[in-house]
Amino acid sequence: MSQQTGGYGYKDEQVSVCPRHPDQITYVRCGRCGRLACGKCQVPLEVGMICVDCMTAAQATAPKIRYARTMPIVTYILIALNCLVWVLQILFRQVTLFGIYNPLYVEYTGQWYRLLTSGFLHSTSNITHLLLNMLTLYLFGQALEPLLGRWKFLATYLLSIIGGSLAVHLIAQIMGTMDTSTLGASGGVFGLFGAFFALSRARKQSTNGIVLLVVLNFAFGFFASGISWEAHLGGLITGAAVATLLDRIPTPRGKRLSR
């Protein structure tokens, strides 16, 4: 004679069977609910096993782990802005004349805003100048913007541009090359190099890759004509210093990703 148990199947009075698979004889019981479970219904754990029903129930009540994701909005906006300004430079020559940086001219006119505006201008005769800077901005922006937070990342980038222009100004005074014009986002880009190096050191991560990248870019700047190594140097130092300081400022909880 047989009786129904648990709504899953039938259990013989003489033979122990799995409630989910009545044709399977078993003597193993779930470590959680105590019901019989055949080999198909057993979920092995580090210690003992539970049945598939208990595993399903445990998974349903387990807290959901959500991984924070932050889209690098500021990075995308900076790239779009640089590209837009480049198009405007082609259409209107006055855009370049308005924003280009020349130490002698700036001292004479007092137009110090050019310390920043020159970082959004690029050569209209060489599109690789724009493309290489924007590619680097994209790659490092994706890594640094979620790490620092949007406003700290933006501040690091903009201040690095200004730091690069100031380095051009100071070194031009020393070397007597005040009547030299510069433009390009390389000061800001090298600022991201410096920020990445500083934050990697602070987190005790390897810096070999970024050091090699900086050395290669500096070497290229020294040996190739038309490249402002002064802006590279100023941006690098400024980016490292600013990122180090801003990283120590607490960010409101939930606004920053950590790595």
Side-chain angles (χ1 to χ4, degrees), residues 157-168:
Y157 182 79
L158 296 180
L159 290 174
S160 295
I161 291 177
I162 295 174
S165 297
L166 286 175
V168 170

Side-chain angles (χ1 to χ4, degrees), residues 63-91:
K64 301 295 186 296
I65 299 176
R66 301 193 177 198
Y67 296 94
R69 295 181 181 178
T70 301
M71 182 178 293
I73 297 295
V74 174
T75 299
Y76 297 153
I77 292 175
L78 289 172
I79 292 173
L81 184 59
N82 275 275
C83 293
L84 175 61
V85 171
W86 186 76
V87 173
L88 293 176
Q89 285 181 255
I90 295 176
L91 297 177

Side-chain angles (χ1 to χ4, degrees), residues 196-202 204-214:
F196 192 86
F197 174 82
L199 296 181
S200 297
R201 284 289 298 268
K204 302 185 184 305
Q205 298 174 352
S206 174
T207 57
N208 294 337
I210 188 64
V211 169
L212 178 61
L213 182 63
V214 170

